[in-house]
Amino acid sequence: MSHAPTTKGRATRARIIEGAAEVLRERGVAFTTLDDIRARTATSKSQLFHYFPEGKDELLLAVAQFEADRVLEDQQPHLGCLDSWESWYQWRDAVVERYERQGDQCPLGSLFLQVGRSRPGARAIVAELMRQWQEQLARGIRALRARGLVSPTLDVDTTAAALLAGVQGGVAVMMSTGDSTHLKAALDTGIEYLRVTADRHSPR
């Protein structure tokens, strides 16, 4: 007998996760109970445990995955088509706008504090988020290189990793201070570095 989730079951599970994410953003992880989530999503206790048999921690991990996916979705369509300087600056503005809108509360960070960042599931979510993010930045740098807009000798993967590290550092400072200056500086400096590499290798 098959136990694969039905289309309706997948939709119900997704609705619970999205509703839980809304409550957690509003109230914070520490102050949200399963009863709060049940009330928001109009689900019974048995229904909630049917989809999340391990309880709150399993649901929090599912919400963490949802929030991780949103990090990348909020950067689209720009992150997926970084093939011109205009698109890079549009991506830069989208990143700044996303984190300024978020403010000093990071839903993803709060979730990992609650479930434990060292848990295999939590670590896998973070690792996959960073892998996908860096991969899309690297793809964008390669698109610039194919058009002759950056140096052909540029180490693409290392540059993408450095740019992502700069963004994460800027976000961390913003979370601590409420000021997006460092995030903007990291993005602007990273993009300017890409542009300078082309100038350094242009024919004299």
Side-chain angles (χ1 to χ4, degrees), residues 198-204:
D199 294 338
R200 287 174 179 169
H201 289 80
S202 60
R204 297 295 180 184

Side-chain angles (χ1 to χ4, degrees), residues 124-198:
I125 290 170
V126 175
E128 181 61 15
L129 168 61
M130 295 304 160
R131 186 196 68 77
Q132 290 187 35
W133 198 344
Q134 182 176 327
E135 185 178 83
Q136 293 199 55
L137 290 173
R139 187 180 301 123
I141 297 171
R142 289 190 179 94
L144 294 178
R145 190 171 64 181
R147 298 182 62 185
L149 297 175
V150 299
S151 167
T153 62
L154 184 68
D155 186 329
V156 172
D157 293 324
T158 297
T159 303
L163 183 56
L164 179 55
V167 171
Q168 290 298 299
V171 170
V173 174
M174 183 178 173
M175 293 288 298
S176 300
T177 66
D179 186 351
S180 62
T181 299
H182 296 80
L183 174 59
K184 293 174 182 175
L187 286 161
D188 291 341
T189 302
I191 295 172
E192 182 61 23
Y193 170 76
L194 292 174
R195 302 194 71 150
V196 167
T197 65

Side-chain angles (χ1 to χ4, degrees), residues 9-24 34 37-38 40-52 59 62-63 66:
R10 288 192 296 270
T12 300
R13 187 176 188 277
R15 177 177 58 79
I16 294 171
I17 293 170
E18 187 169 357
E22 291 174 358
V23 179
L24 290 164
L34 287 180
I37 294 170
R38 287 179 47 237
R40 175 65 61 91
T41 58
T43 54
S44 66
K45 187 173 182 179
S46 61
Q47 191 177 28
L48 194 67
F49 279 92
H50 170 74
Y51 291 104
F52 305 97
L59 176 56
V63 176
F66 174 82

